[in-house]
Every structure is written in C-alpha cells, then in structure tokens.
C-alpha cells in the first residue's frame, strides 16, 4: 500500500463525496455516493485506513468517516443519559447487558 496512491485515492473519493453533498438536494437529502460506498463495504475500507501508519492517511480517513458517514443516531446511541435534573450524566448499564448474577471482578 503505497501511501501516495492511497492519498490520491482518498482525495478522489472525498471529491466525489463532496459532489454528492451538492446532489443530496435532488435525492431527498441523502448523498447518493455515500449509499453506494456503504453498499459495497467501502466504509469498512476507509475505517481500516484509520489504523494506517501514515498520519496523513489516518487523518484523512478519520475526517471522511466523521463528515460523510456519521449519523446523529450513532451519536445519541453512544452519549450517556442525563439525570432527571439534567445536571449529571448517568453511566448505568441497561439491565439487559448485565450478566445473570452480576459482574465478578
């Protein structure tokens, strides 16, 4: 994996995705190119590049994933819940994720 070739490929893909953002207005607000990339498991390939030893490749892959493939649903699923006063986060695991008999440390 020649870093120069990977960087050129990522730059080209990013340009296509940017064009898709403009086309999203004609496709019910959905970037048609993100859909195509997701269908052919391209997001997995881009995420894999986040572990690349070249820092520039890592950064570009990370930025592309954040910009084009993150959804608010994912953000909300990861974010902790607030208490009833909305002053503190609650980090309690849901009961369905706790093994029967609790955790043994």
């Amino acid at each position: 994996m020649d870093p120069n070739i990977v960087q050129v490929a990522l730059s080209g893909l990013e340009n296509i995705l940017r064009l898709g953002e403009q086309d999203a207005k004609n496709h019910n607000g959905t970037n048609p190119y993100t859909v195509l990339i997701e269908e052919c498991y391209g997001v997995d390939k881009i995420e894999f590049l986040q572990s690349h030893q070249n820092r520039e490749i890592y950064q570009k892959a990370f930025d592309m994933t954040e910009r084009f493939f993150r959804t608010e649903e994912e953000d909300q699923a990861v974010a902790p819940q607030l208490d009833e006063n909305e002053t503190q986060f609650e980090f309690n695991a849901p009961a369905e994720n706790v093994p029967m008999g609790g955790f043994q440390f």
Side-chain angles (χ1 to χ4, degrees):
M1 289 188 15
D2 182 12
N4 292 331
I5 293 173
V6 174
Q7 285 179 328
V8 168
L10 283 175
S11 293
L13 187 58
E14 183 178 27
N15 288 335
I16 291 169
L17 290 167
R18 284 184 185 164
L19 179 65
E21 282 183 332
Q22 295 171 358
D23 289 346
K25 297 170 190 161
N26 301 328
H27 293 92
N28 299 326
T30 302
N31 184 332
Y33 303 116
T34 59
V35 173
L36 293 171
I37 290 169
E38 288 172 348
E39 287 175 354
C40 67
Y41 306 103
V43 179
D44 295 336
K45 307 288 188 210
I46 296 169
E47 287 176 344
F48 174 75
L49 290 173
Q50 291 180 15
S51 63
H52 198 279
Q53 64 186 6
N54 183 307
R55 183 126 173 98
E56 292 174 12
I57 292 173
Y58 152 77
Q59 190 64 51
K60 184 172 277 297
F62 178 81
D63 292 342
M64 287 174 63
T65 303
E66 288 291 309
R67 178 175 177 181
F68 299 108
F69 299 103
R70 291 254 337 181
T71 64
E72 287 185 25
E73 292 171 2
E74 289 175 349
D75 293 340
Q76 291 173 354
V78 175
Q81 301 296 318
L82 290 172
D83 66 357
E84 65 261 0
N85 298 329
E86 295 189 5
T87 57
Q88 294 182 352
F89 291 115
E90 295 180 341
F91 294 96
N92 297 334
E96 68 266 5
N97 293 336
V98 177
M100 205 167 178
F103 292 104
Q104 300 287 327
F105 294 105

